Amino acid sequence: GTFGATQVLGNTTFGEGWFATSSQPRVFVGDTTGDSVAEIVGVAPNGKGNGDVWVARPTSGGWTQKVWLFESRFKTGGAEDWFTLASQQRVWLSDVTGDARADLVGIGATGEIWVARATSVTSTDASAAAYSFQPSLRVAQSGLVDSSTTNGFFSTSSKRRVWLADATGDLVNDAIAIAPSIAKDGSKN
């Protein structure tokens, strides 16, 4: 295969603070509309609308201006700093509902899984966003606890151990993790 012409997003959407090395990734690329075309999705940093979700959609002439969708649970700072470098990545853009739309997914420090589901909305205004995200909902409690020690699932003392991928063949991405410490007999230490 070959690549098409390079398109530069320019100064229209994600600028200062969005790609800071002082935080985990907060800008993602994925299909949030189900049309097989990827959008750029960002969760705003402090000073730029902390937790606001922005989307840039590809057009025939480049990219749309940022479209503000909603204020998410995934914020920088505070008790639940979703983008801290003190832990591994805990926020992803991944389809966890099986509707071919990438959702915003986060696993909290105490193991709770939160999802802001990408959904279609109808609009009579062609310039308006034809999609949206639902507010973040707690959907499950997992054992993926970040104990802030070398044995935590999100510890920075080792490489990443948590991924989102379809492990069951049902076209829905699952949380997959490798326990921080496994004894030779397979039991968790």
Side-chain angles (χ1 to χ4, degrees):
T2 61
F3 286 97
T6 302
Q7 290 186 7
V8 178
L9 185 56
N11 199 16
T12 60
T13 302
F14 305 104
E16 183 181 333
W18 290 86
F19 297 96
T21 57
S22 59
S23 71
Q24 292 291 345
R26 61 177 58 253
V27 177
F28 311 94
V29 176
D31 179 8
T32 62
T33 62
D35 64 358
S36 300
V37 177
E39 288 80 35
I40 299 173
V41 178
V43 182
N46 271 336
K48 306 291 181 193
N50 189 15
D52 289 357
V53 177
W54 297 87
V55 174
R57 295 185 297 175
T59 65
S60 60
W63 295 87
T64 62
Q65 294 286 333
K66 58 188 172 191
V67 177
W68 180 82
L69 297 178
F70 77 106
E71 181 182 353
S72 78
R73 161 175 201 83
F74 309 119
K75 297 185 183 298
T76 300
E80 188 79 56
D81 187 346
W82 290 90
F83 300 98
T84 180
L85 288 178
S87 70
Q88 297 283 351
Q89 181 177 352
R90 296 187 297 132
V91 177
W92 300 269
L93 187 67
S94 181
D95 182 9
V96 295
T97 59
D99 63 359
R101 294 180 180 101
D103 311 294
L104 276 171
V105 181
I107 301 177
T110 58
E112 69 281 357
I113 299 175
W114 292 83
V115 174
R117 184 176 176 190
T119 60
S120 288
V121 296
T122 57
S123 173
T124 55
D125 180 359
S127 66
Y131 55 91
S132 185
F133 283 89
Q134 292 179 353
S136 307
L137 296 174
R138 181 178 180 261
V139 296
Q141 179 64 43
S142 75
L144 304 176
V145 176
D146 185 7
S147 61
S148 298
T149 67
T150 57
N151 289 326
F153 277 96
F154 298 96
S155 170
T156 58
S157 66
S158 68
K159 295 288 186 181
R160 182 168 68 141
R161 304 187 251 261
V162 179
W163 303 268
L164 297 183
D166 183 3
T168 60
D170 63 357
L171 303 179
V172 175
N173 288 336
D174 309 289
I176 301 169
I178 298 174
S181 179
I182 299 292
K184 289 182 181 181
D185 66 1
S187 63
K188 184 176 177 184
N189 287 334

